[in-house]
Amino acid sequence: MLKIGFIVNPGFQIMSLTAMTVFEFANYAGKKPVYNVQLLSEHGGPVVNSLGFSMETKALGSFAFDTFIVAGPPVPDVVPPGVLAFLGNAAKKVRRIASICTGAFALAEAGVLDGRRVTTHWVVAREMAQRYPAVKVEEDRIYIADGNVWTSAGMTAGLDLALAMLEDDCGVQIARQVARSLVMYHRRAGGQSQFSSLLEVAPKSDRIQRALTHARQNLKSVLSIEELAYVANISPRQFSRLFHAETGHTPAKAVENLRLEAARLMMEEGNHPIELIARETGFADRERMRRAFIRAFGQPPQTVKRGARDAEEA
C-alpha cells in the first residue's frame, strides 16, 4: 500500500485537502485499497486551518512514505524551520514530493525546487520567481512534474495533480473511473493554461455576454462586428463602444483571444495538425494563426504545441 502524507502548517487552506478524495476514491475503485492517506504536521495534534477550526494530525518524523504533498495557505506564509528541514530531507528519500498552490513556497524555501520547472497559483507566481531566482517558475500551467517533484496551480488544480499521480500509479482506466466518481473531466492536461479569455473579459451586461458566448460557439465563422451587434440586439457602433467600455478590449481583440485559447486547448488535448487547428478555431490559415501566437505568447504555434507535449510527458 502506498502511503500519502499531506503536510499542513497552521493557517493552511482547507481546499488543499480536496486532493485527498482522489486517493480515497481510488481505494474504492479497485479490488483492494491502494493508498494509506495521512494528515501530518510538525508536532502532530490539532492544527488550525484558515477558517479557524482545527484538524487532527500526526507528527512528522518518518520518511516511510511514497509521497508527501504540502498543502498551501491562502497567501504565502512563514514555514517553521523544522518543517523546512524535514522537506529538504524528504525530497531525497521519497518517490514523490509535491505541493498544492502556495505550498510550493515551502518547497522553494527548503531548497527542493532549485533548478526545477514548477508552477503555483498565477497570483503569486511572479513573487515566487523574484524570491527564488533558482526556481524555474511557469505561471501558466495547471501542474508540472519535474523528476520526483510535482507542483500544482490553484487549489482545484490539486485534483488534477492527484489524478495524474493516480494514473501514474494505477493506470488511466482507474484514474478515469475516479474522475467520473468525482463528476470531473478525466483531468486537465498539465500544460493547460490557468487562464480563461472569458474570465479576463468579464462583461457587465447580458448583451455583451451573449455576444461573447455566440463568438465562442462559432469561432469558425468570420464573426463581424455586425453579426455580434445583431446578437447583442444593438447597433454596431453602440456595440463597439459598449463592448470596450465593459471589457477594456475591442471586439476583434476579444475574438482573437478566444481563438487563441481554443487553439492552444486543441494543442494540449490532442495531436491535431496545425492547419486543422487554424481552420477549426477561425484563423482560416496557418500564417494568420502564427502571427497571432507570436503577438500573444512570443512563440509560434509549433513551439507552444511542443511545449504542451513535453510538459505532459515530463
Side-chain angles (χ1 to χ4, degrees), residues 212-226:
L212 277 169
T213 300
H214 174 81
R216 193 171 198 179
Q217 293 172 347
N218 296 274
L219 289 178
K220 290 179 69 174
S221 302
V222 175
L223 293 174
S224 65
I225 292 290
E226 289 74 18

Side-chain angles (χ1 to χ4, degrees), residues 48-299:
V48 177
N49 60 43
S50 60
L51 287 174
F53 61 88
S54 62
M55 301 183 73
E56 194 66 28
T57 66
K58 296 182 179 180
L60 293 175
S62 171
F63 295 114
F65 282 78
D66 176 81
T67 303
F68 285 119
I69 300 175
V70 182
V75 295
D77 203 356
V78 175
V79 180
V83 175
L84 294 176
F86 181 88
L87 293 175
N89 288 325
K92 304 169 188 174
K93 298 177 184 294
V94 298
R95 183 166 68 100
R96 290 181 303 219
I97 190 164
S99 62
I100 294 175
C101 197
T102 55
F105 281 77
L107 294 183
E109 188 67 24
V112 174
L113 303 186
D114 288 356
R116 302 278 189 177
R117 293 172 49 250
V118 308
T119 193
T120 187
H121 196 290
W122 64 271
V123 168
V124 294
R126 293 184 184 179
E127 178 184 347
M128 169 167 275
Q130 291 169 355
R131 284 173 57 174
Y132 305 103
V135 177
K136 301 173 184 178
V137 181
E138 298 184 17
E139 64 182 79
D140 195 13
R141 291 293 181 269
I142 296 296
Y143 68 85
I144 292 175
D146 187 341
N148 75 324
V149 178
W150 298 54
T151 52
S152 79
M155 300 296 178
T156 59
L159 288 166
D160 300 287
L161 179 141
L163 282 168
M165 288 181 171
L166 174 58
E167 183 176 321
D168 191 48
D169 294 339
C170 302
V172 66
Q173 293 304 321
I174 293 293
R176 285 176 177 165
Q177 183 178 341
V178 169
R180 285 196 298 270
S181 297
L182 297 175
V183 198
M184 288 178 61
Y185 174 74
H186 170 44
R187 66 174 169 83
R188 293 175 290 180
Q192 186 169 321
S193 173
Q194 293 186 36
F195 306 104
S196 165
S197 294
L198 284 183
L199 287 177
E200 289 181 354
V201 171
K204 298 179 178 63
S205 69
D206 290 342
R207 289 180 295 186
I208 301 302
Q209 183 62 63
R210 282 200 307 272
L212 277 169
T213 300
H214 174 81
R216 193 171 198 179
Q217 293 172 347
N218 296 274
L219 289 178
K220 290 179 69 174
S221 302
V222 175
L223 293 174
S224 65
I225 292 290
E226 289 74 18
E227 179 180 349
L228 296 176
Y230 177 80
V231 172
N233 197 30
I234 52 180
S235 71
R237 183 176 179 181
Q238 185 182 1
F239 174 78
S240 294
R241 185 171 61 249
L242 186 60
F243 191 99
H244 191 274
E246 291 194 14
T247 70
H249 298 273
T250 65
K253 185 62 177 176
V255 168
E256 181 177 275
N257 287 343
L258 289 172
R259 287 184 166 134
L260 284 165
E261 180 177 71
R264 187 167 176 173
L265 192 60
M266 285 185 71
M267 293 174 189
E268 291 166 351
E269 295 187 340
N271 190 27
H272 307 290
I274 294 294
E275 291 81 3
L276 174 65
I277 295 174
R279 211 163 47 240
E280 290 296 314
T281 56
F283 282 108
D285 61 69
R286 181 182 185 132
E287 177 58 24
R288 184 180 171 195
M289 187 169 75
R290 188 189 71 83
R291 292 196 300 267
F293 264 69
I294 290 174
R295 283 195 301 271
F297 307 125
Q299 298 175 322

